[in-house]
Amino acid sequence: MHRKEDARFVRGRGTYVDDVNLPGMLHGAVLRSPYAHARIVSIDTAAAQAHPKVKAVITGQTLEGLKLAWMPTLSADTQAVLATDKVRFQGQEVAFVVAEDRYAARDALELIDVEYEPLTAVVDARRALDPDAPVIRDDKEGQADNHIFDWGAGDEAATDAVFASAEVVVAQDVLYPRVHPAPLETCGAIADFDAVTGKLTIWCNTQAPHAHRTVYALVAGLPEHKIRVISPDVGGGFGNKVPIYPGYVCAIVGSIVTGKPVKWMEDRSENLMSTGFARDYHMRGEVAATRDGNIRALRVKVIADHGAFNGTAQPTKFPAGFFHVFTGSYDVEAAHCAVTGVYTNKAPGGVAYACSFRITEAAYLIERMIDVLAYELKMDPAELRMKNLLKPEQFPYPSPTGWEYDSGDYPRALQLALDMAGYDELRAAQQQQRERWLAGDRTGPLTGIGLSFFTEAVGAGPRKHMDILGLGMADGAELRVHPTGKAVLRISVQSQGQGHETTYAQIVAEELGIPVDDIDVVHGDTDQTPFGLGTYGSRSTPVSGAATAVVARKVRERARQVASAMLEVDPGDLEWEKGRWFVRGDQGQGRTIQEIALAAHSSLELPEGIEGHLDATTVYNPPNLTFPFGAYICVVDVDPGTGQVKVRRFVAVDDCGVRINPTIVEGQVHGGLADGVGMALMQLIAFDEDGNCLGASFMDYLLPTSMECPSWELGETVTPSPHHPIGAKGVGESATVGSPAAVVNAVLDALKPYGVRHADMPLTPAHVWRAIQGRPLRT
Ligand code: MCN
Ligand code: CUN
């Protein structure tokens, strides 16, 4: 089924935050720090204030008076809204100008005079804990260094014991560099405070409207029922639109101060420099195995670069997100990971870009380590994987780091991918090519074949384990069937392009037999929808999708009661077929859901205790996460003369349980595969030694286009989730999680004749070229 929302999107009729223009609206702009680390000596705003079109200039000092200079982050740290004492990353928010139009606001920024006293910047996360490293967060009482947290999972002693007795141990430093989700639409908000009613309306392209509202209520002390967050159409989120940014708070303060609505939209460079980045994980992985390739244990140590404020968005108990799913898809005796979070003079963030709460890092690490082991053992990477994959009979599988994988048939998915790729023929052709090369005929590129197999844990999460800032991660849903049988579903999650208006309508249609076109899905408005924590970590299908199925089944049960009154039979004598209840044994005696809807609103006498109308509400608390998985194979051609990598083929077999809308699922996978090619080959947010951001425009931060992507070859297996009402698992981040390792493994496979065991992303032509310089060809 095609997406319902595309009717407006393909006609350019979407409504994004920047399309919303309120009467009398003013425009805000943020003055940002040119330094990565500097003390603020003084800020002179007089000239800006004198600008004829300027209505307000807000600084950290202004906010201090309102106790709003600092705000809590989603990781219970504090973040400066506008800097008061120091600036801690290049691009940090220093002042906010409100003016009659956006040009005047930006012009006035240049009239603000800030005197800075530059300080040494901490750029390398591995140096952040050095005794002589400058302390970035001297605002925090008792913070004498740049340490944020130590966190671990698994059994360290048991893991060390396996390592001590292992036949083979391989170790590898693996960096997952800092990247940025770079949604096409940048972040922005319009705040509209009505001083008469005390109502604050915030239009904002947030992925989590309800969570934002509650946080605003807690921070600003505004009564929650007087805050309305509206998230209209969103032009891509990818985790970048989960946090609350200083610009949003400034727009709110701007509106309260001026009494007018204030719009703030950041530009591309502001988005790339200051909003939620992704990854920046410095990992050291170790594998213990037998000589014939049985993986016995895994050990990882991580330095996690969180930037200047710990603004990561993840369940409270998991400061490294779900990184501890790093044993991946393999059967190991023991595993242990230890993660140390540090402050650096960079933008805050870390959990974004289709990461499933750091499962990207985990999947990349394990899949790189498997290839490193295969390299050392001189084994075929497909054979090594097949040998160690979990077996179908091991599910539900308790992992050594505390997960319970719900369901899976891994060998089937890998075999399908190998068959689709024609793996044996690819290897045979590669072997011939290598022999030709080694014999001296060096024409044409080198082929590389890379595999990855991933398992994700998505759908956060069970209330007893998971919350964000104390808010449990259950989702509400409301379904109303109107008298004429048309339905409106209200959900708490928010689409940024995932097609929720279609897929959630499809779930209701399937459960009630109402045509999809007769069902509207309302989301993204806290005044119109039940509470829930929002869209990220591919949690919408696992949590709100389940809530939708449950609420539709509740309505169906109510419909049974109404039908029993209509047909004057016992409810227990009724049977359901899609769209109608009928009398068991008398197929012709029945009532359609539409007839029942009308009767439920009529003068029909209903049984004792049965309310009129046809609607229901629910709150879904998932019993476990869902565990989608997949097998990916990438084929590249690498030109050793230039270092250029061409992705020739990409086979992706995904298993996300029951697929609600196969076309949407394929679209999600296509997007994620492009992400993987981008991260593996070209994307990087880099910094120079002074902390200047070198990836602040699309000239430097390279996104893949169709030119860099092959025609994706997709396959599927279906292993339903046993605990999800319709057997669906999340898929929105699967391909981004699984694909980078396949691309990198393919490039390194191509470079095997040069004896390159590992190289870090992004594998740009220069990086690939440098990796093989001076290396003799080996057999
Ligand atoms: N779906 C399905 N059958 C399944 C699983 C999912 O039909 N078995 C459908 C869903 O109904 C939904 C879509 O696929 O329409 C994605 O579902 P899900 O996996 O539940 O993910 P979410 O809806 O929670 O989306 C979040 C996820 C995340 S966290 C990132 S990051 C990301 C992603 O989605 N950001 C995106 N995909 C994106 N796609 C677009 N276009 N834009 C983004 O910002
Ligand atoms: Cu980690 S990016 Mo998605 O969860 O919004």
Side-chain angles (χ1 to χ4, degrees), residues 515-590:
V516 176
D517 286 337
D518 287 355
I519 303 160
D520 259 4
V521 176
V522 176
H523 60 179
D525 182 342
T526 55
D527 270 9
Q528 303 283 339
T529 57
F531 186 85
L533 276 214
T535 293
Y536 42 80
S538 302
R539 64 185 297 280
S540 304
T541 300
V543 188
S544 279
T548 299
V550 168
V551 82
R553 287 172 194 179
K554 280 192 177 178
V555 164
R556 194 163 77 198
E557 277 311 303
R558 175 88 72 80
R560 179 210 283 264
Q561 302 293 338
V562 178
S564 88
M566 293 170 82
L567 294 162
E568 296 179 345
V569 294
D570 190 83
D573 291 335
L574 290 175
E575 252 183 70
W576 175 258
E577 68 178 351
K578 199 171 164 185
R580 75 195 270 276
W581 284 106
F582 65 91
V583 181
R584 183 171 307 116
D586 187 0
Q587 193 86 13
Q589 277 275 47

Side-chain angles (χ1 to χ4, degrees), residues 343-364:
Y343 291 120
T344 60
N345 288 113
K346 300 177 197 166
V351 170
Y353 206 174
C355 67
S356 304
F357 297 127
R358 303 271 192 201
I359 296 176
T360 34
E361 289 91 326
Y364 179 67

Side-chain angles (χ1 to χ4, degrees), residues 374-602:
Y375 182 99
E376 292 301 338
L377 296 177
K378 297 193 170 29
M379 265 182 88
D380 180 275
E383 186 195 336
L384 181 58
R385 284 182 172 80
M386 201 54 111
K387 194 175 177 128
N388 288 285
L389 282 179
L390 292 164
K391 312 267 177 306
E393 58 274 17
Q394 286 176 277
F395 291 88
Y397 167 72
S399 93
T401 50
W403 301 94
E404 187 179 291
Y405 294 10
D406 59 350
S407 65
D409 187 343
Y410 295 175
R412 178 168 64 138
L414 179 54
Q415 193 55 53
L416 177 59
L418 294 170
D419 294 344
M420 284 174 63
Y423 187 71
D424 294 340
E425 297 87 77
L426 282 170
R427 281 286 178 216
Q430 184 190 40
Q431 189 52 34
Q432 279 185 359
Q433 183 195 54
R434 275 190 189 157
E435 279 161 18
R436 194 164 50 73
W437 260 75
L438 294 169
D441 175 4
R442 310 262 157 87
T443 49
L446 281 170
T447 299
I449 305 156
L451 282 83
S452 75
F453 198 103
F454 67 91
T455 298
E456 280 190 280
V458 299
R463 291 169 65 124
K464 63 174 187 285
H465 306 306
M466 293 178 196
D467 69 273
I468 291 183
L469 289 180
L471 302 170
M473 302 189 80
D475 283 356
E478 268 176 43
L479 179 61
R480 262 184 235 166
V481 184
H482 296 307
T484 57
K486 316 289 180 192
V488 174
L489 172 75
R490 293 163 195 279
I491 50 176
S492 59
V493 286
Q494 161 63 22
S495 176
Q496 306 98 48
Q498 296 91 338
H500 289 180
E501 286 162 52
T502 306
T503 43
Y504 290 87
Q506 286 183 268
I507 295 173
V508 174
E510 191 66 26
E511 295 293 334
L512 293 181
I514 297 174
V516 176
D517 286 337
D518 287 355
I519 303 160
D520 259 4
V521 176
V522 176
H523 60 179
D525 182 342
T526 55
D527 270 9
Q528 303 283 339
T529 57
F531 186 85
L533 276 214
T535 293
Y536 42 80
S538 302
R539 64 185 297 280
S540 304
T541 300
V543 188
S544 279
T548 299
V550 168
V551 82
R553 287 172 194 179
K554 280 192 177 178
V555 164
R556 194 163 77 198
E557 277 311 303
R558 175 88 72 80
R560 179 210 283 264
Q561 302 293 338
V562 178
S564 88
M566 293 170 82
L567 294 162
E568 296 179 345
V569 294
D570 190 83
D573 291 335
L574 290 175
E575 252 183 70
W576 175 258
E577 68 178 351
K578 199 171 164 185
R580 75 195 270 276
W581 284 106
F582 65 91
V583 181
R584 183 171 307 116
D586 187 0
Q587 193 86 13
Q589 277 275 47
R591 290 291 182 271
T592 66
I593 189 80
Q594 289 82 3
E595 289 165 346
I596 296 169
L598 192 56
H601 291 84
S602 72

